[in-house]
């Protein structure tokens, strides 16, 4: 399971990326974080969900990620 704050952040980032670059835009889990490691536990939660749970490639389509997270 994923904490609600991370779920909301993923959806918001996907929406912004899709709005600015179109429905074919790809992203990695790093897109949900700034370049500073301000919340290591949240970063690890996102990484585990992305890499271990879903076995996603480094880059995935934002629309795919958004749809999966919204269905959770």
């Amino acid at each position: 399971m994923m904490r609600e704050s991370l779920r909301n952040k993923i959806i918001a980032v996907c929406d912004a990326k899709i709005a600015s670059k179109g429905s074919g835009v790809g992203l990695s889990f790093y897109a949900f974080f700034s370049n500073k490691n301000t919340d290591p536990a949240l970063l690890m939660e996102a990484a585990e969900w992305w890499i271990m749970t879903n076995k996603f490639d480094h880059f995935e389509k934002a629309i795919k990620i958004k749809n999966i997270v919204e269905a959770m």
Side-chain angles (χ1 to χ4, degrees):
M1 202 53 160
M2 175 186 295
R3 65 178 98 172
E4 189 69 18
S5 62
L6 179 55
R7 184 180 179 280
N8 292 338
K9 185 172 193 159
I10 289 172
I11 292 168
V13 168
C14 287
D15 282 343
K17 293 280 187 183
I18 293 165
S20 70
K21 300 201 178 212
S23 62
V25 67
L27 48 77
S28 77
F29 73 89
Y30 292 114
F32 312 121
F33 300 93
S34 64
N35 288 332
K36 298 187 190 263
N37 191 6
T38 56
D39 191 341
L42 190 63
L43 176 64
M44 291 306 294
E45 182 178 333
E48 183 173 336
W49 179 82
W50 190 281
I51 298 165
M52 302 300 288
T53 303
N54 291 289
K55 299 187 180 4
F56 291 143
D57 289 334
H58 184 73
F59 285 96
E60 294 288 345
K61 300 290 184 194
I63 193 75
K64 173 183 174 180
I65 300 303
K66 179 184 175 190
N67 290 337
I68 290 169
V69 172
E70 285 180 331
M72 293 173 63

